[in-house]
Each structure stands twice: as structure tokens, then as C-alpha cells.
Amino acid sequence: MTPPMKKLVLIGAGHAHAFVLEAFAKRPDPTIAITVVSDSALAAYSGSVPAWLAGECTLRETQIDVAALAQRAGARLITSPAVALDTSTRQVTLANGEVIPFDVASFNVGSTLMLPEQTLPEQPFSETYDEQRPYLLAMRPLSSLHHRWQALRENVEQLPQGSRQRVVSIGGGAAGCETLMSVLAQLRQQRPDISWQGALVSASTTLLPGAGRLPRWLTKRALHRAGITVLHGVRGQALIAGGVRTSEGELINADIVLWATGAVGHPWLADTQLPLDKHGFIRVGKSLDVVGQPGLFAAGDCAAFNPPLHASPLHSSSLPKAGVYAVRMGPLLADNLRAACHREPLATWQPPKRVLALIGTGDGHAIASRGQVGFSGRWVWEWKKRIDARFIARFNPPFER
Ligand SMILES: Cc1cc2nc3c(=O)[nH]c(=O)nc-3n(C[C@H](O)[C@H](O)[C@H](O)COP(=O)(O)OP(=O)(O)OC[C@H]3O[C@@H](n4cnc5c(N)ncnc54)[C@H](O)[C@@H]3O)c2cc1C
């Protein structure tokens, strides 16, 4: 009698799961039935987000066609987000009510962020422009950023002729710096009649904590060239009338606020029996296996190593939440999911000692940062775009522009 097929469920269509699907497309396994659970049939690729925000490519050019990829892998795709998981009955529940049983499951659901406090309780918080409160553009979750960005651009269209607008980014990491420069460049292009000002607020004492001195200096220079003032050691806490209130109770004037603070885990994970760290990320061992939960795996932003891995001396605590790590975990995750389905030994993941970060500056240039090495230029931006386009093309069938 043939043994029953193993049920493998991939929760989230993040960067690591793209590699898993690619691996099964290249080497199918008739003994494993794969189900992909994703909130969308198209998944955002983080590397291309700055180019898209800067208006240099279409949204579609930044997305991986999960439906096509799943089809090539012989996997079933369900486009409804997971909302619950029961580790004892080994079932995932989706928003559409479906309950999916699994033998082996893997999380690659990315991250979100803590929205700022609301200090105007009598006025329900909304993402619409209003005289009193600044307009909020939350940078995570990445998968729905395009809806929020589109809404902001429509609101900007309504702004009075010749007005003055101050755009403030809360968060001094790569995403905060890069997106503020890209967003400002795009808004200046959209409404050249408006006087656009930019400010970046960083809780830490340096920009890009974890990067080398030269890349940090290049980023500081790029922000300065984009007319952006930088406030260090200031923690943005709440949106109030006129701007952002800091943890010290000061007001930072703002009309538009980009909220790009540190990543946290998706809230629904806290209602599962999964082991989570203090930021709500799933604790995994070196094989990307969830601690104490055989047959469960997690990769990318939603995973936290237990104990923490130190990718390099520059990373003082855990791995940074960057797409490049999700990408690097992908091939090993694919091998380990296959091995787990066959009850074979798991391989261990070695974090790269240094990774290359390419940070767009919104003016057709980019900064390359790798350890202490840093350089910038127009060609770096072209180089980044080529790398990102190649990455997306790897997973996508050719499509009509
Ligand atoms: C504005 C911004 C710019 C960035 N730029 C860069 C950059 O240039 N380079 C870089 O390396 N990193 C960048 N990052 C960081 C990068 O976005 C993340 O580290 C990366 O996307 C993590 O990849 P992932 O595969 O873990 O998750 P994601 O890429 O976030 O993928 C997770 C997937 O899971 C889906 N999902 C979420 N919840 C559920 C659910 N409940 N059920 C089913 N599916 C679900 C999502 O829709 C998404 O498709 C940026 C981040 C931000 C916010």
C-alpha cells in the first residue's frame, strides 16, 4: 500500500517561500502535497520598493507572481490570509474559514510595525488628510504599502496650490532613509508648486545602526542633498495636532508622517502556541525549525534565532530585518522542508558574514554598503535595478508591460 502523501503548508508568500516553490518546480516530489496560503496572488519584492516609490518602475514590476510560481511547483494556492494555527491538531485556519491540515508547515509572513499612539481619542484615527493631524503613511506591512501610497498621492493632489508641506520620517534605518528620499522626490515631481520639506527622526544616535562609518556618512550626505534635516536621539511616539509628539513630550511639526519604526511580528501569531520573542517573532533554531515544535519552520522577517545568531560584529544583537536574509534562507529552507516531510536530518543555516545593501537616494543614485565599505553613484542605482529585476525575473514568467 502506498503511504499517504505528506501535507506541506507554506504560510505567506515571502522571499524564502519563492525559493521553496522554485525548488519543488525544479525537482517535484509526488509524495508531498503543497498548499500555499497567501493574502495575495502577487507578492511584493522589497528590493524594488524604492524604485517603485520613486516612480521608476510599475508596481507590477516589483511583484512576484505567486500564482504562476505555485502552478509550476504543482502547489495549490489559496489567496486568503492565515488567521490562526493550532499546533496540537496541526491545522491552519484562514480568514475565509477554510481549515488546512498539515504534517509540515512553514511561516514566511514578513513583519509589521507598531503604529503611533493616538492622542485625539475623540477623533477616530484615520489615514485621511486633515487640518489637525498629520497624514500617516505606515511603511509596513510591505504587502499593502501600494494601497496606502496611492491614497496619499490622491490626497496630495487635493492640497492647495503653492502650500508648504513638511514630510517627516520616523525611523533612521535603511528603510526610513531610503523611502523618505524616494517619497520626497516623487512628491516634488507630482506637485512642483508645493514647497516640500523633509525631516528624518531617529531614536538612535546614528543613522543606519549596524552599518559601517562610510555608508553612514554617504547616507547623511544624501539626506542633506535632498534637503532633509536629521534629528538624532529623538523617539517619535504619537501623532498629535500639528505633527508628532516625541517621548520627551516635544512637538515635531509634520504634515505627512512616514512611520518606519522597527519591525514587529504579526499580532495573530501571539494567539498561537508558537514560541515568540519579545518582538513577536517566531523563535527558530539553526535549521529554521521552530523551537520545540517538530515539523514547523519559519524564515525571513518573522523568524528570530534562539539563541540569536551574530551575522557579523556589526550586528550586535539579532539579524536585521532585511529581505536579503529571507532570500539567503530560501534554498536551505526548501531542503529542510523536503527533509522534514521524509523524516530525514535537517541542515543548518549559516548567516552571511556581510551582506551588500544598496540604498536608493531618490535622485537616480544609490549607496552601496557592505561592512565598512561604502560607495555611491548613478551606476550603483542602475546596478541595483538590474539585480532586482533579475531577481524578480527568476520567479516570474515573462509578462506584457
Ligand atoms: C519600505 C521598506 C523598504 C525596504 N527596502 C528593502 C530593501 O531595499 N532591501 C532589503 O533587503 N530589505 C528591505 N526592506 C525590508 C524587507 O521588506 C523585509 O525584510 C523583507 O520583505 C522580508 O522578507 P520576508 O520574505 O520575510 O517577508 P515579506 O517579503 O514581507 O513577505 C511576506 C509575505 O507573507 C504574506 N503574508 C503576511 N501575513 C500573512 C498571513 N497571515 N497569511 C498569509 N500570507 C501572509 C505577505 O502578503 C507577503 O507576501 C524594506 C522594508 C520596508 C518597510
Side-chain angles (χ1 to χ4, degrees), residues 142-318:
L142 202 62
S143 53
S144 49
L145 179 60
H146 56 287
H147 295 304
R148 299 190 294 275
W149 174 230
Q150 185 56 32
L152 168 60
R153 285 174 59 95
E154 282 163 17
N155 277 275
V156 162
E157 218 35 66
Q158 309 305 321
L159 290 173
Q161 188 83 13
S163 59
R164 177 187 289 238
Q165 290 290 304
R166 193 166 145 90
V167 185
V168 174
S169 175
I170 305 295
C177 296
E178 187 174 36
T179 51
L180 177 57
M181 288 186 277
S182 303
V183 162
L184 258 185
Q186 192 60 6
L187 294 178
R188 283 178 175 141
Q189 213 174 319
Q190 183 186 343
R191 290 293 305 267
D193 59 300
I194 289 179
S195 161
W196 294 99
Q197 297 173 350
L200 186 125
V201 176
S202 169
S204 87
T205 49
T206 61
L207 288 172
L208 310 187
R213 254 160 95 165
L214 183 53
R216 287 207 307 260
W217 179 81
L218 288 168
T219 307
K220 196 170 150 192
R221 188 182 67 170
L223 289 165
H224 180 73
R225 285 179 176 170
I228 294 166
T229 44
V230 180
L231 298 172
H232 286 296
V234 179
R235 188 176 292 277
Q237 198 169 46
L239 292 193
I240 56 174
V244 179
R245 194 194 65 208
T246 70
S247 55
E248 301 291 311
E250 311 264 312
L251 169 70
I252 298 169
N253 294 320
D255 302 294
I256 295 171
V257 175
L258 311 190
W259 205 260
T261 51
V264 296
H266 287 288
W268 70 275
L269 295 175
D271 297 325
T272 65
Q273 301 101 321
L274 295 167
L276 303 183
D277 77 356
K278 63 178 179 185
H279 302 293
F281 298 122
I282 305 166
R283 290 182 190 275
V284 294
K286 285 185 176 171
S287 302
L288 306 176
D289 49 327
V290 177
V291 172
Q293 297 286 349
L296 284 184
F297 293 78
D301 274 12
C302 69
F305 284 94
N306 183 48
L309 290 185
H310 299 282
S312 86
L314 286 172
H315 302 144
S316 52
S317 56
S318 55

Side-chain angles (χ1 to χ4, degrees), residues 10-17 37-40 42-50 53 66 78 80-83 94 108-111 113 139-145 174-176 178-179 260 266 268 299-303 320-327 356 358-359 384 388:
L10 305 179
I11 304 166
H15 305 8
H17 281 173
V37 172
S38 173
D39 50 1
S40 165
L42 295 168
Y45 170 55
S46 55
S48 301
V49 167
L53 283 176
V66 183
I78 307 177
S80 177
V83 292
L94 311 187
N108 185 203
V109 289
S111 56
L113 48 71
M139 302 314 293
R140 287 177 203 264
L142 202 62
S143 53
S144 49
L145 179 60
E178 187 174 36
T179 51
H266 287 288
W268 70 275
D301 274 12
C302 69
K321 298 298 178 193
V324 61
Y325 292 101
V327 166
L356 174 69
L358 297 170
I359 301 162
K384 174 177 168 57
D388 293 335

